[in-house]
Amino acid sequence: MATNFLIHEKIWFDKFKYDDAERKFYEQMNGPVAGSSRQSTGPGASSGPGGDHSELITRIASLEVENQSLRGVVQDLQQALSKLEARLSVLEKSSPTHRATAPQTQHVSPMRQVEPPTKKAATPAEDDEDDDIDLFGSDNEEEDKEAARLREERLRQYAEKKAKKPVLVAKSSILLDVKPWDDETDMAQLEACVRSIQLDGLVWGGSKLVPVGYGIRKLQIQCVVEDDKVGTDLLEEEITKFEEHVQSVDIAAFNKI
């Protein structure tokens, strides 16, 4: 009968196990607490007022430790907040006009399909009105004629001004060495043959006879040519045509003027 009676009673027989586990947990979290070294060794040790007192002391100690840690966190947050406020005040003083504005969100309404406007059939009266409109009126024609006349006048003035401006002609000074066949060649006749060459843009200059060796002398003659009209190849071709007197032609000097 006693056993059946205890079965229906709600008695916490192993409460001391849970108390020990809770105490060990807080000791591991916060370290050993003074006065908590006494442990209950039997089922009756924690059920008395001494066990309840030690459990209360353990909980109070753990709460104090948690309170201290929370105070430290709060102090750190207060210091960080004060630093941020000081930095913000410095930034506001340095750039008072600059203020960060949050981007405004725009509400976009859904697009609606726009139908193209329908063309109405033109009435005969409207067609007559369009025919009456003179797109190229007399005033516009007169303005176009005046603009064309002014343009032609300016072009003519520009052409006359350009024609009066002196044109720079590129010229070159050439020194030619004309060699005879032998010492019996008539050098005066050879020079006369060379000077007989007349070309547009060619002007003959001074000349002299220069001894070569073995009694042979060559004709050294100066000329000025216009680059666009007379070239060195043309000069050599014209001089070497006198085969009876001329053996070869060489360019001794060539200078731009």
Side-chain angles (χ1 to χ4, degrees):
M1 294 295 291
T3 306
N4 294 331
F5 176 78
L6 291 176
I7 290 173
H8 296 286
E9 288 293 330
K10 296 180 181 179
I11 301 174
W12 194 359
F13 292 100
D14 53 351
K15 181 178 181 299
F16 67 94
K17 294 181 180 180
Y18 293 95
D19 293 339
D20 292 340
E22 185 179 3
R23 179 180 52 76
K24 289 179 180 180
F25 172 77
Y26 285 113
E27 285 181 355
Q28 291 177 0
M29 293 292 296
N30 304 320
V33 181
S36 64
S37 59
R38 291 179 296 178
Q39 301 179 356
S40 59
T41 58
S46 61
S47 61
D52 295 338
H53 183 69
S54 62
E55 180 182 354
L56 182 60
I57 292 175
T58 303
R59 291 184 179 181
I60 292 173
S62 63
L63 289 175
E64 289 179 353
V65 173
E66 290 179 0
N67 190 15
Q68 291 178 359
S69 62
L70 289 175
R71 286 181 181 177
V73 173
V74 171
Q75 290 178 358
D76 294 339
L77 290 175
Q78 288 177 352
Q79 292 178 359
L81 182 61
S82 62
K83 290 180 180 179
L84 288 174
E85 290 178 351
R87 187 174 180 181
L88 182 60
S89 62
V90 172
L91 290 175
E92 289 178 352
K93 290 180 181 178
S94 61
S95 57
T97 58
H98 178 72
R99 293 182 180 178
T101 58
Q104 297 179 356
T105 57
Q106 298 180 356
H107 299 282
V108 181
S109 60
M111 297 179 63
R112 293 181 299 176
Q113 186 176 3
V114 179
E115 296 181 357
T118 57
K119 294 184 178 179
K120 296 187 297 182
T123 60
E126 292 178 353
D127 293 339
D128 295 338
E129 291 178 358
D130 293 339
D131 294 337
D132 294 338
I133 297 174
D134 187 6
L135 297 177
F136 303 96
S138 58
D139 295 338
N140 294 334
E141 291 179 357
E142 292 178 358
E143 291 178 358
D144 294 340
K145 290 180 180 179
E146 183 67 18
R149 188 185 64 79
L150 290 175
R151 183 170 60 254
E152 292 176 357
E153 181 68 19
R154 290 176 181 176
L155 290 174
R156 185 181 60 79
Q157 292 177 0
Y158 176 75
E160 292 177 356
K161 185 177 180 180
K162 189 175 181 180
K164 293 178 181 179
K165 187 176 181 180
V167 180
L168 296 177
V169 180
K171 296 182 179 181
S172 300
S173 175
I174 304 175
L175 183 64
L176 299 173
D177 285 344
V178 184
K179 297 178 182 178
W181 287 104
D182 51 23
D183 56 345
E184 295 180 358
T185 302
D186 187 358
M187 299 304 294
Q189 184 63 30
L190 187 147
E191 183 177 355
C193 292
V194 172
R195 290 185 180 274
S196 67
I197 300 172
Q198 299 295 326
L199 297 173
D200 185 18
L202 171 63
V203 178
W204 293 108
S207 64
K208 63 180 180 178
L209 298 176
V210 179
V212 178
Y214 303 102
I216 301 174
R217 295 179 298 175
K218 65 180 179 179
L219 174 65
Q220 198 169 70
I221 186 170
Q222 185 85 23
C223 67
V224 177
V225 299
E226 294 182 10
D227 296 342
D228 295 337
K229 296 179 179 180
V230 181
T232 56
D233 295 338
L234 179 60
L235 279 177
E236 292 179 3
E237 182 180 353
E238 292 294 329
I239 294 173
T240 53
K241 286 181 180 180
F242 302 101
E243 298 177 354
E244 296 179 359
H245 303 284
V246 179
Q247 177 190 5
S248 63
V249 180
D250 295 329
I251 299 175
F254 185 94
N255 297 313
K256 291 284 185 180
I257 298 176

